[in-house]
Amino acid sequence: MNGFKGPWGWGGLQESQELLFSTPRLALWPGLAIALAVLGFNLLGDGLRDYLDPKLRRVRAES
């Protein structure tokens, strides 16, 4: 990458494990980034399923 090595990024939770007790905020931002990414993919998958599932289309058409 750019030569910068720090506790931030996707691997930040694992790298900041030793520092967790002295500075717990190091795990906060990578943890939030992972949680938001998982939530985003989950919502995207739900939306795609709702849009593309033929069984759900039939149920919507009947009601």
Side-chain angles (χ1 to χ4, degrees), residues 46-54 56-57 60:
D46 286 347
L48 286 173
R49 184 202 56 221
D50 291 346
Y51 182 73
L52 297 173
D53 190 5
L56 287 176
R57 286 184 185 176
R60 275 191 233 131

Side-chain angles (χ1 to χ4, degrees), residues 3-4 11 15 24 26 33 36 38 41-42 49 55 61:
F4 176 74
E15 292 175 8
L26 289 178
L36 287 174
V38 168
F41 282 120
N42 190 9
R49 184 202 56 221
K55 292 180 184 177

Side-chain angles (χ1 to χ4, degrees), residues 6-60:
W8 304 277
W10 290 109
L13 287 177
Q14 184 177 3
E15 292 175 8
S16 68
Q17 204 168 23
E18 306 135 3
L19 304 171
L20 190 59
F21 292 111
S22 60
T23 53
R25 64 179 157 70
L26 289 178
L28 178 68
W29 298 115
L32 285 175
I34 291 170
L36 287 174
V38 168
L39 177 66
F41 282 120
N42 190 9
L43 292 175
L44 176 67
D46 286 347
L48 286 173
R49 184 202 56 221
D50 291 346
Y51 182 73
L52 297 173
D53 190 5
K55 292 180 184 177
L56 287 176
R57 286 184 185 176
R58 261 188 261 135
V59 170
R60 275 191 233 131

